[in-house]
Amino acid sequence: MSDHTSEHRTMTLKLIVWRQKGQNEPGRFETYVARNITEHHSFLEMLDVVNEELIREGKDPIAFDHDCREGICGMCSTVVNGVPHGGQERTTVCQLHMRKFKDGDTIYLEPWRARAFPILKDLVVDRGALDKIIQAGGYTSCHTGGVPDANSTPVSKAESDYAMDAAECIGCGACVAACPNGAAMLFTGAKISQFAALPQGQVEAPERVAGMVNAMQECGFGNCTNHYECQAACPKGIHVKFIARMNREFLKALFRAKSGSHTFIGEGQD
Amino acid sequence: MILDGKAPNGPIESTWDRHRFEMKLVNPSNKRKYKILVVGTGLAGASAAASLGELGYNVEAFCYQDSPRRAHSIAAQGGINAAKNYPNDGDSIFRLFYDTIKGGDFRAREADVWRLAQVSNNIIDQCVAQGVPFARDYAGYLDNRSFGGAQVSRTFFARGQTGQQLLLGAYSALSRQIKIGTVRMFPRTEMLDLVVADGEAKAITVRDLVTGEIRVHAGDAVLLCTGGYVNVFYLSTNAMGCSVTALWKAHRKGAFFANPCYTQIHPTCIPQAGEYQSKLTLMSESLRNDGRCWVPKRKEDCRKTPNSIPEEDRDYYLERKYPSFGNLAPRDIASRAAKEQCDDGRGVGPGGRGVYLDLKDSIARLGEQVIRERYGNLFEMYERITDENGYKVPMRIYPAPHYAMGGLWVDYDLMSNLPGLFVLGEANFSVHGANRLGASALMQGLADGYFVIPYTIANYLARTRPGKVSADHAECRKSVEEVKGYTRKLLSVNGNRTVTEFMRELGHLMWNHCGMARSKESLSEAIARIPAIREEFWQNVKVGGTGEEFNQQLENAGRTADFLEFSELLCRDALDRNESCGGHFRVEYQYPDGEAKRDDENYCYVAAWEWKGIDKPPELHKEPLKFENVHLAVRSYK
Amino acid sequence: MQLLSSAIGRKVVMAATGLFMLLFVIVHLLGNSTIFAGPNAINAYAEKLQSLGPFVWAFRLFLLFMLFFHVIYGILLTLENAAANPGKYAVKKMLKATFASETMIWTGLLLLAFIVYHLLQFTVRVTPDVVLGNDAKGRFDVYTMVAGSLKIAPIAMVYVAAMVTLFLHLSHGIQSIFQSAGLSNDKALPQYTVIGKLLAVIFLVGYSAIPVLILAGILAK
Ligand SMILES: Cc1cc2nc3c(=O)[nH]c(=O)nc-3n(C[C@H](O)[C@H](O)[C@H](O)COP(=O)(O)OP(=O)(O)OC[C@H]3O[C@@H](n4cnc5c(N)ncnc54)[C@H](O)[C@@H]3O)c2cc1C
Ligand code: HEM
Ligand code: HEM
Ligand code: SF4
Ligand code: F3S
Ligand code: FES
């Protein structure tokens, strides 16, 4: 345990960072040195220090996405030494602290890499594809107002906890970045499972799963071959059981579509 | 000028219903002809954009993050209030109304607060219908807890992630409208100016944060839902990108800024670890339900390990000073008490800026397992940040800027003094008075967006012709040129100090001179020093890169420049308000026992400031406040 | 059709075809194990199978169909996945993925090659090593055919290598079936994984025992 009253040890680190000016520009690695870093710096505060120095030297600071810096907005997105968010369990890179590193360490920083996430600059990627997936069905089509009293439909605590486990996803996209196939199955599976567990989600279940699965494909995400890297990298520990649930929901929907009670989106009226 | 909030008169219980009936309507087939610009997609913005889109308006929505799902509403942990009275413990709309008025130290408009309490119930219904997984009990019904010192259990929550779940609900409703095509979403787009044409707000000028393109979006009404401004203190619990920019630009175009000095300091944040730190993390104050705040009685003990300090040498200062509320005293009181202990030299941790929050007794009483179930994620978060195990050693906490009760002035319809400009959520000043009670900001954001603006905007739109102003209007073109010029100016200074250095300097000044305790001297000094920092900024700031690219330095520079102007207004408001109330504590105005001394005789009004130019003092307009349903009384939590 | 065109549908096809092939591999191992009981047993078993006539052909056709889909979709999915992940990380640390999970396409293709060879050898019986003949009871002498071929060291080695490939493919593939078909959850997944690995080991040991024991001269002297 650290003693806050004692002097901080400081460390010096070598950073090898992916630099890319814009979406269609070539990128390359550049090496920087981070000095005077203490164990209490968060990873992004360490980058702030490096950037301040770059700015003073008149150089272009390293662009990286971040906002809340408390592990909830899902904005931060950097692959640290080959692991999205840096590999501390259930921790976003903004909450990763430098005490996990040693003086003299070399650290590789790369952006999320997946076809569906074009690089905008340096470590910043465009994750709009995840929004597209939600737009394809990640909601209930209720109107504002005109809904029943909140307590009119009880939901068992178990189902509601299950839905909440799934709903914790922060939409950071680390699952995609970690997946050898660039698949967004964990993200999509979590959303579908949340609604699948709740009574409010039942009516539109078939259309939802069909729409969202289609959107995944259209956006250029890959398929799942059950590597489970996604769960390991997920800062919220979203479980791959939600991918299984999505698959199950998909089959259920397909079966219901075949039996005529629903049509699958995009399937026409044949 | 005496401002009129246009609150309806008559019995408070029926104000909103009557007003709703009296308001004008927009014919359904005409709705799509009106374009509404929604800036900000947090709880307030996303719920407004989704609801307006659903009604058939043509909506364009903007946010600076890469997705509307990331607005800072996502960070709210504790919960959202509603007057459902599900636990049958005596809650009612009137009680929620009463508590909010009193909690705000009698500085909010009664009718607005009544409406908030009234629609609070609809919000919960709405969110559940959207699939928000609120906590439930074993019978499957919604669970409630008491929060932030409320005497009834009226807080709904979703683990420690209530804001996240509510925002994702609103975001999903918004996503649905985007898919349908009623809402067009512009992420990574920052509003940099408001266009006022013929006295009405009709357009905004934005910068595309990816390409740097500066362009204008014209519409029939503008909704600012851009959140709070407490990043003016540099270190706060807000996200790094939260800024006053949108509000400030509107203010410069004529919108009145109301009560900027009402800022809330949250008592339970993780203390700063070092100068390099850029953001403070909040821990839900629900911890105060089971934790006890203390500091060592003797200064010499402050550097000892906490567990080695015997019980009799600990000062449980909240329990000592406020025997009946104890550790659950309201935020402003708990924050100030912590500061007092530290100012007295009995603070703990780095720089002596911290007090202990100790769950030892609860762990002994209930067992570690129960505590783990209740607060496990908070302990985890604490350990991630500090590397300390809160089950074994008491946690250290310190107050930090958290919420802005002040904001742009709006009337009962949420319209600012500029026709066509509406302000929702934390960005307006409306319902919290001088102090916000826990779990009421989420409620306000969603009330404004789902259940107020969809009605009140019609009252304005029905009186205007759609499409009055288009993007090639002279005012629009002028605004684009101004923003471009401003950007060029920022880029051309090329001095020696970074933007962060300026922001840190300003934040320091604000925290020390206009933070938890303010005085005439400290405020006058701040007002004297801010222009100097501002001047140096414009002569010595270093902003690299160009305007035609993704340039985070430039974004920060613009936000900092606005804070450098706004901070002065905040201090002026604080200086002008010669009383202590809620989050605004003037050391000159206190009772002998240190309690805040309100001055209802002279200050029972909303202070709304009008911009007069950078070197001229702003002009004060007052909106007197009347209390007919809750009687003005001294707030006591003893 | 969503089953054949969607990302998940095609995974289900992979799982279903894989499952049927898995069942075959189980039955085949049981059948082959009769070799341990001597020539009479396995020849009788083969005879019995042959006597089923049209059923055999139906079964063969079905399996071929499964293999065909499995291979086509395996290749298709792999190509799509490669395209979805430009995979340019300079350093990539795997946390959960295994050698087996990362090499499914290669172990699969090797299996395909093995199956082609194996069919040419023991079903079509056209490879030079096969010894054709009937046993004392006039039945086709499967025992001698198998023993004759697997006595040749390089062929036995090919078999063992193929069984290692099968082990890898199935040590990931079996639990995959449940996950892909949506039959898994947090409690069951670790159990499927254990069962899958166990079965894969049984296949490895059971199948390899035949060439190894033959080569070692213990079986079929
Ligand atoms: C850590 C924390 C915990 C909290 N916990 C609670 C709680 O438990 N209960 C409770 O009731 N309240 C809580 N609050 C307060 C509450 O979360 C906020 O007040 C509320 O969510 C604000 O919502 P909003 O929609 O007004 O603004 P925000 O959610 O901040 O949204 C602002 C939006 O405006 C956009 N924006 C800002 N400026 C611009 C610009 N110039 N151009 C374009 N877009 C712009 C942003 O992109 C964003 O979309 C908490 C606050 C914090 C910080
Ligand atoms: C007897 C032979 C084979 C068996 C028993 C078998 C079995 C399986 C099983 C059970 C799976 C897992 C399915 C799932 O993920 O749900 C699988 C996956 C796979 N198989 Fe095979 N397979 C065989 C042959 C082949 C062949 C010949 C190929 C050649 C292309 C192949 C390629 C693949 C690939 C690429 C996968 C992973 C794809 C995925 O799971 O999405 N397999 N196999
Ligand atoms: C040591 C291991 C093996 C031995 C000794 C063996 C032996 C045989 C024999 C003798 C036959 C012909 C049966 C007959 O025609 O009556 C056969 C057929 C076959 N074998 Fe194997 N086999 C082995 C492993 C495998 C494996 C691992 C696979 C699949 C991956 C496989 C797939 C098949 C197939 C598809 C047939 C054709 C079945 C049919 O004709 O219907 N074999 N095998
Ligand atoms: S599932 Fe996990 S890794 Fe994927 S987006 Fe959600 S939080 Fe991020
Ligand atoms: S890592 Fe990829 S392969 Fe599937 S289980 Fe996760 S999406
Ligand atoms: S910055 Fe918000 S999750 Fe990391």
Side-chain angles (χ1 to χ4, degrees), chain C residues 24 28 32 60 114 118-119 122-123 125 146 159 163 207:
Chain C
F24 170 78
H28 195 47
N32 286 351
R60 283 176 170 171
F114 167 76
H118 182 59
L119 289 181
F122 290 154
T123 306
R125 298 160 190 162
V146 171
Y159 266 75
M163 295 314 117
Y207 275 121

Side-chain angles (χ1 to χ4, degrees), chain A residues 223-226, chain C residues 10-12 14-25 67 70-75 77-78 81 101 103-113 115 166 169-170 172-181:
Chain A
N223 310 289
C224 179
T225 51
N226 306 328
Chain C
R10 291 186 301 188
K11 276 289 299 177
V12 174
M14 280 305 283
T17 53
L19 174 67
F20 284 111
M21 290 193 283
L22 171 68
L23 293 177
F24 170 78
V25 172
L67 183 68
H70 190 79
V71 172
I72 295 296
Y73 280 96
I75 294 173
L77 289 172
T78 306
N81 291 345
S101 77
T103 52
M104 285 304 274
I105 185 65
W106 303 118
T107 50
L109 287 175
L110 284 172
L111 278 176
L112 181 64
I115 291 168
L166 182 73
H169 199 77
L170 293 183
H172 176 73
I174 294 174
Q175 55 81 36
S176 243
I177 295 176
F178 296 97
Q179 174 77 3
S180 298

Side-chain angles (χ1 to χ4, degrees), chain A residues 179 181 183 185 224-230 243:
Chain A
C179 177
N181 307 336
M185 295 283 170
C224 179
T225 51
N226 306 328
H227 286 297
Y228 308 138
E229 280 297 302
C230 48
I243 300 181

Side-chain angles (χ1 to χ4, degrees), chain A residues 52 65 70 131 149-150 168, chain B residues 86 159 171 188 279 498:
Chain A
E52 283 287 289
D65 259 336
E70 54 178 285
D131 290 318
D149 182 86
E168 281 192 22
Chain B
Y86 283 156
R159 294 214 178 123
Y171 160 74
R188 290 200 201 269
K279 139 101 193 182
T498 65

Side-chain angles (χ1 to χ4, degrees), chain A residues 180-254:
Chain A
N181 307 336
M185 295 283 170
L186 194 61
F187 169 83
T188 312
K191 197 34 87 193
I192 286 172
S193 303
Q194 177 195 344
F195 286 117
L198 297 170
Q200 291 81 9
Q202 300 311 307
V203 178
E204 297 171 283
E207 290 83 359
R208 175 176 306 115
V209 69
M212 291 177 77
V213 168
N214 267 341
M216 265 197 295
Q217 258 173 312
E218 277 163 21
C219 291
F221 290 104
N223 310 289
C224 179
T225 51
N226 306 328
H227 286 297
Y228 308 138
E229 280 297 302
C230 48
Q231 176 183 338
C234 174
K236 295 292 142 182
I238 305 290
H239 200 285
V240 291
K241 70 178 174 189
F242 296 125
I243 300 181
R245 178 67 179 257
M246 166 171 63
N247 298 346
R248 185 153 79 238
E249 292 297 319
F250 181 87
L251 285 175
K252 250 174 35 193
L254 202 63

Side-chain angles (χ1 to χ4, degrees), chain B residues 158-234:
Chain B
R159 294 214 178 123
Q161 287 124 285
T162 316
Q164 178 196 28
Q165 293 311 314
L166 296 175
L167 181 61
L168 293 183
Y171 160 74
S172 67
L174 177 64
S175 297
R176 175 170 161 251
Q177 295 304 319
I178 293 172
K179 178 79 175 183
I180 294 171
T182 57
V183 180
R184 271 188 78 194
M185 184 68 216
F186 296 88
R188 290 200 201 269
T189 304
E190 186 168 20
M191 166 183 161
L192 293 179
D193 198 17
L194 177 76
V195 181
V196 181
D198 310 322
E200 293 185 280
K202 287 294 178 194
I204 58 171
T205 303
V206 299
R207 178 168 184 272
D208 179 324
L209 300 181
V210 177
T211 63
E213 185 199 356
I214 289 167
R215 59 171 193 266
V216 86
H217 288 254
D220 297 291
V222 177
L223 271 53
L224 296 188
C225 317
T226 52
Y229 54 72
V230 289
N231 268 351
V232 67
F233 295 103
Y234 182 56

Side-chain angles (χ1 to χ4, degrees), chain A residues 44 66-76 92-94 170:
Chain A
L44 298 188
H66 65 99
D67 199 25
C68 74
R69 296 223 178 173
E70 54 178 285
I72 191 73
C73 74
M75 188 100 174
C76 58
T92 51
V93 68
C94 61
I170 58 175

